[in-house]
Amino acid sequence: MATSDISERARGDGLPARLLDRIAASDPALSRLRLASRAMLSLGLSGALLGGFTLLHPLPIAAYGMTAVISFTGSMSVRDRSVRAQTVTRAIAAVAAIASVLLASLLSPIPLVADLAFLAVIFAAVYARQYGPRGFSVGMIAFMAYFIGDYLRPTPSDIGWIAMAIVVAIAVTHLMAFVVLPDNPERDFRRAVTAMDRRINLILRALMAPGDGAAPSAGTRKALRGHLARLHETVLMAEGFIPQGEAGSLAAEGAASDLAIALFEWQLTVERLVSASFAAPPPADLLAAALRHDDAAVRLAAPSGDGSAPERVTARLLLRAHAARGRLMTMLGPV
């Protein structure tokens, strides 16, 4: 069978299949989309609530500025693992934000002192990072609150309304994080594995050389290195989603370790496959079968010993990568 015919069959639906691969590979677990959606929905809902309050009483412009800052920063920076931990972090962040904007308001008539206080807030925000995710989140929100207060210069009489806006924004971001768009480690891990699979599909398609036995071109090699870099990022993200034995987790203790090992084995084999393919790509029919995840076709296309030594090496690595994928999918089980 001609290589071009095999390539067309491997692509499945052609452009739609390649497009799905690129979308899934570009945003593993849809985490970026979820974070962006949380921030935008938090901002929209918080702004709408403040707009309702404005019908009853005019609010200072700093209240809207703080709402925007808290909606984005609170959505992106608060990364504690449990609901309780994030609740505590957001409560501390609200107090820190109110204190910062109050300090900026009181010191705004004295520019030199206000600037020195800003430097102190910056130092404290950076120093707080040593206390982990909570320190990072609280420090970031306190810094942004002081910046908004120093820039918009609210009066001390405005602080009550600003505090209300901060509490509203904190509450809305918490609602978005745990009710509207919550994290789900098992679902996110499966999505990350799917993204990893899609990225490897892109790698295998790139290895579909124009002619039998032709090594990848310089442009293809550059693209393959880029895919490997993104693959590494996806694997790291997937490992971060592996549950550690909490209630309702996908796996615990030994099983979690097995998942991490299976991920690493799959990634390492694909990296070795790409490196070996710079000398000679795997047989085209074997590549096509691996792309379709067709076990029977892979067994039929497995080389029997004929062909060049480099091609036999890449064929064995492709078979190992296909087997590693199969083991991981078996460990995951049905959705």
Side-chain angles (χ1 to χ4, degrees), residues 10-11 42 71 81 100-101 139 162 188 200 202 213 226 251 273 290 303 312:
R11 289 187 178 95
S42 296
S71 296
R81 290 190 175 272
S100 290
V101 75
I162 296 174
D188 291 345
I200 292 173
L202 294 174
L273 168 64
R312 289 199 300 271

Side-chain angles (χ1 to χ4, degrees), residues 109-170:
I110 316 171
L112 178 59
V113 178
D115 291 343
L116 292 175
F118 194 17
L119 291 176
V121 170
I122 293 172
F123 174 82
V126 174
Y127 185 78
R129 295 188 178 194
Q130 69 171 319
Y131 298 106
R134 177 169 295 164
F136 173 82
S137 304
V138 173
M140 177 66 71
I141 291 173
F143 160 75
M144 294 302 299
Y146 190 96
F147 176 81
I148 292 295
D150 193 44
Y151 180 74
L152 297 178
R153 299 179 181 275
T155 63
S157 61
D158 293 332
I159 297 303
W161 296 109
I162 296 174
M164 181 203 69
I166 291 172
V167 171
V168 167
I170 287 286

Side-chain angles (χ1 to χ4, degrees):
M1 182 182 294
T3 304
S4 58
D5 296 336
I6 294 170
S7 299
E8 288 302 317
R9 287 183 57 188
R11 289 187 178 95
D13 295 330
L15 180 60
R18 296 196 299 275
L19 182 60
L20 286 174
D21 283 352
R22 290 191 177 275
I23 291 174
S26 65
D27 187 9
L30 301 180
S31 57
R32 298 184 182 96
L33 176 62
R34 185 166 59 249
L35 283 175
S37 299
R38 282 179 187 169
M40 291 304 299
L41 290 174
S42 296
L43 177 60
L45 181 55
S46 297
L49 291 174
L50 290 191
F53 283 122
T54 303
L55 299 177
L56 303 176
H57 189 284
L59 298 179
I61 188 65
Y64 294 98
M66 286 304 306
T67 296
V69 166
I70 296 295
S71 296
F72 282 102
T73 309
S75 297
M76 301 292 183
S77 67
V78 180
R79 305 300 298 163
D80 302 270
R81 290 190 175 272
S82 69
V83 177
R84 182 180 180 278
Q86 287 204 20
T87 302
V88 172
T89 297
R90 288 193 168 93
I92 297 173
V95 174
I98 294 169
S100 290
V101 75
L102 175 60
L103 180 63
S105 173
L106 294 174
L107 296 180
S108 60
I110 316 171
L112 178 59
V113 178
D115 291 343
L116 292 175
F118 194 17
L119 291 176
V121 170
I122 293 172
F123 174 82
V126 174
Y127 185 78
R129 295 188 178 194
Q130 69 171 319
Y131 298 106
R134 177 169 295 164
F136 173 82
S137 304
V138 173
M140 177 66 71
I141 291 173
F143 160 75
M144 294 302 299
Y146 190 96
F147 176 81
I148 292 295
D150 193 44
Y151 180 74
L152 297 178
R153 299 179 181 275
T155 63
S157 61
D158 293 332
I159 297 303
W161 296 109
I162 296 174
M164 181 203 69
I166 291 172
V167 171
V168 167
I170 287 286
V172 169
T173 58
H174 199 70
L175 176 71
M176 292 298 167
F178 290 106
V179 177
V180 180
L181 294 170
D183 290 325
N184 183 312
E186 178 179 349
R187 177 198 62 197
D188 291 345
F189 179 79
R190 290 180 182 274
R191 285 177 174 173
V193 170
T194 297
M196 184 178 172
D197 196 24
R198 296 287 189 179
R199 178 66 63 180
I200 292 173
N201 284 352
L202 294 174
I203 290 172
L204 296 184
R205 287 193 177 93
L207 292 177
M208 285 283 189
D212 284 330
S217 64
T220 300
R221 293 187 184 196
K222 182 178 179 181
L224 286 168
R225 293 189 182 99
H227 286 316
L228 288 178
R230 301 290 84 76
L231 176 63
H232 179 67
E233 294 174 2
T234 305
V235 172
L236 289 178
M237 179 177 291
E239 289 177 343
F241 292 133
I242 294 178
Q244 299 300 318
E246 296 178 356
S249 64
L250 174 68
E253 299 177 355
S257 177
D258 291 343
L259 282 173
I261 292 172
L263 280 174
F264 178 73
E265 179 186 7
W266 192 15
Q267 175 198 7
L268 182 62
T269 306
V270 171
E271 290 176 347
R272 293 180 61 191
L273 168 64
V274 170
S275 179
S277 295
F278 289 169
D285 54 348
L286 183 57
L287 269 172
L291 266 170
R292 296 195 305 271
H293 309 307
D294 187 335
D295 293 337
V298 166
R299 287 192 295 270
L300 287 175
S304 58
D306 298 331
S308 65
E311 187 177 75
R312 289 199 300 271
V313 170
T314 53
R316 286 198 298 269
L317 288 170
L318 180 55
L319 289 171
R320 288 178 58 185
H322 178 77
R325 178 190 183 276
R327 284 193 294 273
L328 180 59
M329 297 306 172
T330 300
M331 292 171 65
L332 286 176
V335 178

